[in-house]
Amino acid sequence: GLVDLSAFAIFDVSGPGALAYLQGLVVGQMDVAIGRVVYTPLLNAAGGIVADLTIMRLGKELFRVVTGGGMGMRDKKWFVDHLPTDGSAQLFDATSALYTLGIWGPRARDILASVTRDDVSNEGFPFGACRVIEIGSVRALASRISYVGELGWEIYVPMEQGLKLWDTLW
C-alpha cells in the first residue's frame, strides 16, 4: 500500500552537541553509524514516555526526528524546551518543507525496485537503514522502517515533489 504520511512532524537537529542532546532525551542509543534509523521512546525526567518516534542519523552532527502528526507540535515544544542553553544543538522544523510517503506490504520492494536503479534488496538496504536514492527522476531520502509489520519504507522528498513521487510509485 501507498500511504500519504505528510502529517508527520519532522525536525532536523544539528550542531556539535546534537548527539549528546538527543541521547539525553531518548532511550535508544543514538551514537550509531550515519545512515542508521533508531525507533525509540522520548522520555520525561521521571522516565515516562512522552512519545515514540524515529531518529535518522544523517551526518556526524545531523539527525532527523520523525514523529506522529497528531502530537507533532507538542513533541516539537518538548524538544525546543530541552535544547542546550549553550547553543551546541539547534532544531529546524522541516515539517512543511517535506512530503512523506509510506510504501509497505509484501510487494513494496518489487514496486520500489521497478522505479529505481539503487539496490533496495534486503542485503543492499537492510531494515533500520536510510539513504538518498533516485525514484524515477526524484532524489529522495528513503528510510527502511515499517509500523505495519510488513516490508516497507518511508520516503521523504521536498514538498513540491510529493505528487511526482506518488505518481511514480503508483
Side-chain angles (χ1 to χ4, degrees), residues 1-169:
L2 292 177
V3 181
D4 180 337
L5 300 172
S6 56
F8 276 178
I10 302 169
F11 317 123
D12 285 348
V13 177
S14 62
L19 174 60
Y21 162 67
L22 289 171
Q23 195 65 71
L25 294 175
V26 302
V27 173
Q29 175 57 256
M30 296 313 309
D31 193 7
V32 296
I34 294 168
R36 294 301 302 162
V37 182
V38 178
Y39 177 63
T40 182
L42 173 67
L43 300 180
N44 63 26
I49 296 175
V50 175
D52 66 320
L53 41 82
T54 56
I55 302 177
M56 293 176 263
R57 189 161 198 181
L58 301 179
K60 184 174 187 250
E61 298 179 352
L62 177 60
F63 297 82
R64 176 158 292 158
V65 177
V66 179
T67 187
M71 300 305 256
M73 291 306 101
R74 180 210 58 186
D75 295 347
K76 177 184 175 182
K77 181 172 180 0
W78 188 269
F79 279 101
V80 168
D81 287 352
H82 292 86
L83 279 168
T85 57
D86 65 2
S88 62
Q90 299 83 41
L91 183 137
F92 171 75
D93 184 347
T95 302
S96 64
L98 296 172
Y99 173 77
T100 309
L101 179 147
I103 181 168
W104 296 308
R107 292 207 48 237
R109 179 176 287 117
D110 299 334
I111 293 166
L112 187 55
S114 75
V115 293
T116 186
R117 288 187 217 143
D118 291 277
D119 183 359
V120 293
S121 69
N122 191 56
E123 297 75 27
F125 205 138
F127 183 81
C130 67
R131 70 168 176 266
V132 173
I133 65 172
E134 296 273 338
I135 299 173
S137 63
V138 178
R139 286 182 56 78
L141 175 63
S143 174
R144 173 103 186 270
I145 192 97
S146 174
Y147 299 102
V148 298
E150 290 275 1
L151 172 68
W153 285 263
E154 289 176 7
I155 302 171
Y156 306 85
V157 296
M159 188 61 74
E160 62 274 10
Q161 293 182 331
L163 181 58
K164 187 171 194 166
L165 174 67
W166 180 275
D167 287 347
T168 299
L169 287 166

